[in-house]
């Protein structure tokens, strides 16, 4: 994914000069770009490549800034996430940044990519609280 995201960012930055610098702050830019696609009246089928790229970028920020790594999902988790990949964080939870971007496009500001990152780091495994939406704990061994 890292090389795909690097290509996507280079292309987007060449066309639009967006500040996609792999910082946590840049996830707000992702939210704004998705909002712009929504306001532009784009149907989901048209910007699907851009939405996938933005989701992959958000996941790469989680990998680089949060210590996660990309994982291929099994059939059951693919059905749950609606995506073939997720980001697994050091605490073992899997997160769906690809799906989060699609939800932002479909539902608007209530689905924030920037807030997803804060949820990942705001709740630690073993706190007694249920995992946030979008998080899946690995099965117990």
């Amino acid at each position: 994914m890292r090389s795909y995201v690097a290509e996507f960012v280079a292309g987007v930055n060449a066309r639009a000069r967006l500040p996609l610098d792999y910082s946590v702050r840049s996830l707000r830019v992702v939210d704004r770009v998705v909002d712009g696609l929504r306001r532009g009246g784009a149907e989901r089928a048209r910007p699907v490549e851009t939405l996938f790229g933005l989701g992959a970028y958000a996941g790469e920020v989680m990998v680089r800034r949060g210590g996660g790594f990309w994982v291929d999902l099994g059939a059951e988790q693919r059905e749950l996430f609606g995506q073939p990949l997720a980001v697994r964080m050091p605490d073992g939870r899997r997160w769906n940044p690809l799906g989060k971007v699609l939800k932002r496009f479909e539902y608007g500001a209530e689905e924030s990519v920037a807030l997803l990152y804060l949820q990942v780091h705001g709740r630690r495994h073993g706190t007694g609280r249920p995992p946030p939406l979008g998080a899946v704990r690995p099965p117990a061994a």
Side-chain angles (χ1 to χ4, degrees), residues 98-120:
L98 300 167
K100 189 61 150 179
V101 168
L102 291 175
K103 285 183 176 183
R104 177 74 180 212
F105 183 76
E106 291 173 2
Y107 302 114
E110 67 192 56
E111 297 290 343
S112 171
V113 178
L115 289 178
L116 173 67
Y117 185 87
L118 295 177
Q119 285 179 323
V120 169

Side-chain angles (χ1 to χ4, degrees), residues 33 46 121 141:
V33 169
R46 284 186 45 210
H121 294 287

Side-chain angles (χ1 to χ4, degrees), residues 1-135:
M1 277 302 263
R2 182 164 278 192
S3 61
Y4 171 82
V5 173
E7 255 183 66
F8 173 79
V9 168
V12 167
N13 283 340
R15 288 188 308 274
R17 300 235 182 253
L18 295 176
L20 297 180
D21 59 3
Y22 301 99
S23 68
V24 174
R25 182 179 54 242
S26 71
L27 295 175
R28 288 190 223 144
V29 174
V30 172
D31 282 335
R32 287 193 305 264
V33 169
V34 174
D35 291 345
L37 290 170
R38 286 187 64 171
R39 278 191 303 276
E43 294 178 25
R44 182 175 175 178
R46 284 186 45 210
V48 72
E49 188 175 320
T50 301
L51 293 173
F52 184 86
L54 291 168
Y57 171 79
E60 190 62 23
V61 171
M62 293 170 75
V63 167
R64 292 180 184 203
R65 300 293 177 216
F69 55 94
W70 288 101
V71 293
D72 291 319
L73 298 175
E76 187 176 310
Q77 288 183 324
R78 282 179 186 220
E79 187 174 322
L80 177 67
F81 278 80
Q83 302 295 328
L85 302 167
V87 173
R88 183 172 178 175
M89 297 306 288
D91 65 4
R93 293 183 294 167
R94 290 173 178 90
W95 293 82
N96 185 4
L98 300 167
K100 189 61 150 179
V101 168
L102 291 175
K103 285 183 176 183
R104 177 74 180 212
F105 183 76
E106 291 173 2
Y107 302 114
E110 67 192 56
E111 297 290 343
S112 171
V113 178
L115 289 178
L116 173 67
Y117 185 87
L118 295 177
Q119 285 179 323
V120 169
H121 294 287
R123 296 187 179 189
R124 299 279 182 225
H125 182 66
T127 62
R129 292 181 278 181
L133 293 176

